[in-house]
Amino acid sequence: EAQVTQNPRYLITVTGKKLTVTCSQNMNHEYMSWYRQDPGLGLRQIYYSMNVEVTDKGDVPEGYKVSRKEKRNFPLILESPSPNQTSLYFCASSLFGTDLAFFGQGTRLTVV
Amino acid sequence: EDQVTQSPEALRLQEGESSSLNCSYTVSGLRGLFWYRQDPGKGPEFLFTLYSAGEEKEKERLKATLTKKESFLHITAPKPEDSATYLCAVQAVGNFNKFYFGSGTKLNVKP
C-alpha cells in the first residue's frame, strides 16, 4: 500500500531536548516536504526536498533542520525545541513536486 | 505575496442541503490549485487538482471549479459522512516547490 509513515504520532518533550520526527515513503517519490498546522493558520511549509541531498527552506524554517540522505526518508530535527514549536506536524510526498497527493498521519508535538 | 483565503471558516448544513465553499487566491501565476479533505487527527486526503480557469472536477457529491481568482467546492445533497475540514492549496508558476494552504472550512452536516 502506498503510504507516508511518520513516527512518533504523539510526543511530549521538554524545552531544549533534541528530538527527531521520522518520515518515510514507499513510493519512490523525489519530492518530500514538512508542514506544521496550527489553529487558524493552516498548513505552513517548513522545509522541502526535491531529491537526495537537495533541501530548501519553506516559509517557517527557523528552529528546524532536515536531511535527505536516502530517497525514502526525510527526518525533521528540532535541535533545541521551544514551546512555540508545539504543533501538529505533517510530512508529505509526491513524485516530482507537481502536486502534493500523499500526507502522513501527523505527529502531535507538545513542548513544555 | 502568494496568499490563500478560505471562507466560511465553518459551515453547518442539514443533510441534503447543498452549498459551496470558497477558496480565493493571490499568486503571481497559478500552476495548480488543490483541494483536500481532512478528518480530525488525520492527514489531509487529496481530492482534486485544477490547473486553469474554467476547469471542473467531480467526485461523488463534490464538484470543484476554478476561475482566475477563486475556486469553489460545491457539495450537492451532503451526507453526515461529508463532515470534515476542507483545505485548499495553491502552487505558483514561479515557485513551484512551495504549496500555500488556506486555513480551511470546517463542514458539519447534521442528519
Side-chain angles (χ1 to χ4, degrees), chain B residues 3-109:
Chain B
Q3 193 169 301
V4 180
T5 304
Q6 290 188 247
S7 62
E9 286 186 20
L11 181 62
R12 283 182 135 188
L13 299 173
Q14 287 296 127
E15 185 172 1
E17 180 187 2
S18 301
S19 188
S20 297
L21 313 182
N22 178 263
C23 171
S24 63
Y25 61 89
T26 306
V27 291
S28 47
L30 181 71
R31 194 200 165 277
L33 185 141
F34 310 91
W35 281 99
Y36 299 85
R37 171 194 171 118
Q38 186 176 23
D39 292 300
K42 295 193 174 181
E45 174 190 341
F46 172 76
L47 293 172
F48 305 110
T49 305
L50 302 167
Y51 293 107
S52 56
E55 190 174 358
E56 298 181 353
K57 293 262 178 86
E58 278 189 74
K59 180 180 179 178
E60 296 179 359
R61 295 175 292 282
L62 301 176
K63 178 178 169 181
T65 62
L66 182 64
T67 71
K68 287 190 176 177
K69 295 199 171 174
E70 58 192 349
S71 177
F72 293 93
L73 185 65
H74 307 278
I75 304 177
T76 303
K79 298 182 178 182
E81 53 261 42
D82 294 322
S83 296
T85 296
Y86 291 86
L87 306 173
C88 81
V90 299
Q91 188 182 34
V93 167
N95 200 4
F96 69 90
N97 293 318
K98 293 188 175 182
F99 295 82
Y100 297 93
F101 282 80
S103 52
T105 293
K106 186 173 184 178
L107 175 66
N108 185 5
V109 182

Side-chain angles (χ1 to χ4, degrees), chain A residues 31 37 48 50 59 97-98 100, chain B residues 31 36 38 43 91 97 100:
Chain A
Y31 180 92
Q37 187 174 35
Y48 64 90
M50 292 299 295
D59 291 317
T98 51
L100 204 58
Chain B
R31 194 200 165 277
Y36 299 85
Q38 186 176 23
Q91 188 182 34
N97 293 318
Y100 297 93

Side-chain angles (χ1 to χ4, degrees), chain A residues 23-41:
Chain A
C23 174
S24 180
Q25 49 92 5
N26 62 359
M27 297 164 281
N28 204 36
H29 283 170
E30 306 270 333
Y31 180 92
M32 298 183 75
S33 63
W34 276 103
Y35 293 83
R36 60 178 290 172
Q37 187 174 35
D38 302 290
L41 294 178

Side-chain angles (χ1 to χ4, degrees), chain A residues 2-19:
Chain A
Q3 59 186 4
V4 177
T5 304
Q6 292 178 231
N7 280 296
R9 292 289 314 277
Y10 303 92
L11 180 59
I12 301 174
T13 191
V14 296
T15 298
K17 185 176 180 183
K18 181 179 178 179
L19 66 92

